[in-house]
Amino acid sequence: MQLPLKTQTVHSVQPTIQVTWSHMENSPLRAAKEHAMPKDLKMLENKVIETLPGFQHVNFSVVKTILLKENFPGENIVSQSFSSHSDLITGVYEGGLKIWECTFDLLAYFTKAKVKFAGKKVLDLGCGSGLLGITAFNGGAKEIHFQDYNSMVIDEVTLANVVANSTLEDEENDVNEPDLKRCRKPKVTQELYKCRFFSGEWSEFCKLVLSSEKLFVKYDLILTSETIYNPDYYSNLHQTFLRLLSKNGRVLLASKAHYFGVGGGVHLFQKFIEERDVFKTRILKIIDEGLKRFIIEITFKSPS
């Protein structure tokens, strides 16, 4: 398969990235905003694309982590592409440049369980690279929203990944046509209207989408991976599900059993959910390879 610019095969997850910040916002909450899809779709011109094989019999295109420019107000970071023990700075940078292990677990589960996306409105919450939402996009979802804490992640990674993967079908059908010409095909542009992109803290994101002049239709499916690592965020996450999930909708959440050094994990989050008596949880899959990981389903106790 021919991909834009340089292509190389990825055999494992991206390395953890050490991030140094030179500026922190004064506000305790990262304000939410919507990010527009660039009209000309030329964002791939300066990106290095990697191939991530092995899911749903197709290859994902993934934007390679790059040295980030100093042009993101409130998110002025210097990214070093070497391993460290953390990809998080609480309340400042909440991951997003790394594809976390549980994302791959959830992608594999989609295939094994034959999860249906066709006709559904889907939210990829804490999207990072956006692979969960991209899978829903390719599966025929009627509308897909991508949300990440960091606006830089949306601008530099998520948007580019969505564009790169929306061109895959055209590339397979006509590999001799120039990459950028394929990116501008009307079919691709028409399909991308289904996608919307947001950044900001969860409660601020809720305010933004619910305050729209247009009636907000709640999500049929919320996909989220490795978002319960910090117990301090459980209340906001619970409120996000409560406010944005349709009564008959469901959340598919992938997580490690426990996050050492931060304190969160599946059992603690399930207890939090149980105590509030709004949702019920169900374990769909347990992955015992390495550090134990889970995929759980969250639904309203009383959908009517």
Side-chain angles (χ1 to χ4, degrees):
M1 180 187 303
Q2 183 179 355
L3 294 173
L5 303 178
K6 177 182 177 182
T7 303
Q8 65 184 76
T9 301
V10 179
H11 296 288
S12 61
V13 298
Q14 294 180 9
T16 304
I17 296 164
Q18 178 172 320
V19 180
T20 303
W21 287 78
S22 59
H23 176 76
M24 292 180 61
E25 295 183 71
N26 294 324
S27 172
L29 297 180
R30 178 67 53 81
K33 68 177 181 179
E34 182 167 1
H35 299 244
M37 175 69 72
K39 295 180 180 180
D40 59 12
L41 304 185
K42 289 183 178 180
M43 63 177 65
L44 300 182
E45 287 184 334
N46 297 316
K47 302 291 185 185
V48 176
I49 306 295
E50 296 179 335
T51 303
L52 187 67
F55 296 100
Q56 296 184 320
H57 308 294
V58 298
N59 290 339
F60 281 112
S61 290
V62 180
V63 172
K64 186 176 181 180
T65 303
I66 59 174
L67 196 64
L68 296 163
K69 300 176 182 178
E70 298 182 1
N71 60 349
F72 299 95
E75 296 183 11
N76 184 15
I77 73 174
V78 179
S79 175
Q80 303 292 333
S81 58
F82 57 84
S83 296
S84 71
H85 296 293
S86 177
D87 193 43
L88 303 168
I89 300 178
T90 302
V92 181
Y93 166 71
E94 299 290 345
L97 295 178
K98 173 184 176 181
I99 303 177
W100 295 79
E101 292 84 350
C102 291
T103 296
F104 296 102
D105 295 335
L106 200 46
L107 289 170
Y109 177 79
F110 291 160
T111 300
K112 184 175 181 180
K114 298 181 180 178
V115 175
K116 303 297 183 184
F117 299 105
K120 297 183 183 297
K121 183 175 181 179
V122 179
L123 171 63
D124 186 345
L125 188 70
C127 62
S129 61
L131 297 186
L132 302 178
I134 289 168
T135 301
F137 176 89
N138 291 336
K142 67 178 179 182
E143 189 173 353
I144 309 95
H145 292 182
F146 297 82
Q147 180 277 338
D148 195 88
Y149 184 85
N150 299 92
S151 64
M152 171 271 298
V153 171
I154 295 291
D155 287 332
E156 292 295 298
V157 180
T158 316
L159 275 161
N161 278 345
V162 171
V163 171
N165 284 280
S166 70
T167 69
L168 287 179
E169 182 178 352
D170 288 337
E171 289 170 359
E172 290 173 347
N173 294 334
D174 191 355
V175 297
N176 294 319
E177 193 171 351
D179 294 325
L180 294 178
K181 184 176 181 181
R182 285 199 300 274
C183 289
R184 292 193 294 269
K185 283 192 174 183
K187 178 182 177 182
V188 173
T189 304
Q190 290 170 7
E191 287 296 305
L192 287 175
Y193 82 91
K194 298 178 181 179
C195 301
R196 294 175 66 185
F197 303 84
F198 302 88
S199 64
E201 192 269 342
W202 288 327
S203 64
E204 296 293 300
F205 165 63
C206 288
K207 290 179 185 177
L208 178 62
V209 295
L210 292 172
S211 64
S212 172
E213 294 181 359
K214 183 178 179 181
L215 179 65
F216 178 77
V217 177
K218 294 186 177 183
Y219 300 105
D220 302 304
L221 187 59
I222 296 178
L223 309 173
T224 190
S225 173
E226 311 234 27
T227 48
I228 60 171
Y229 53 85
N230 191 336
D232 292 342
Y233 300 157
Y234 287 1
S235 180
N236 273 344
L237 185 58
H238 185 274
Q239 282 297 311
T240 299
F241 295 158
L242 180 62
R243 299 173 73 184
L244 300 186
L245 185 67
S246 68
K247 286 298 181 181
N248 294 298
R250 63 176 183 156
V251 178
L252 293 180
L253 182 151
S255 172
K256 294 182 176 69
H258 183 74
Y259 290 87
F260 298 97
V262 196
V266 169
H267 302 300
L268 187 62
F269 185 67
Q270 283 185 305
K271 181 180 178 182
F272 182 95
I273 293 288
E274 182 180 336
E275 289 173 349
R276 274 131 193 92
D277 201 31
V278 175
F279 296 103
K280 58 184 176 180
T281 65
R282 181 166 66 104
I283 295 175
L284 300 177
K285 185 174 178 61
I286 300 174
I287 300 97
D288 283 317
E289 302 169 1
L291 187 63
K292 183 177 285 190
R293 307 186 299 278
F294 292 79
I295 295 174
I296 64 174
E297 177 189 68
I298 301 169
T299 55
F300 281 100
K301 281 191 170 182
S302 302
S304 59

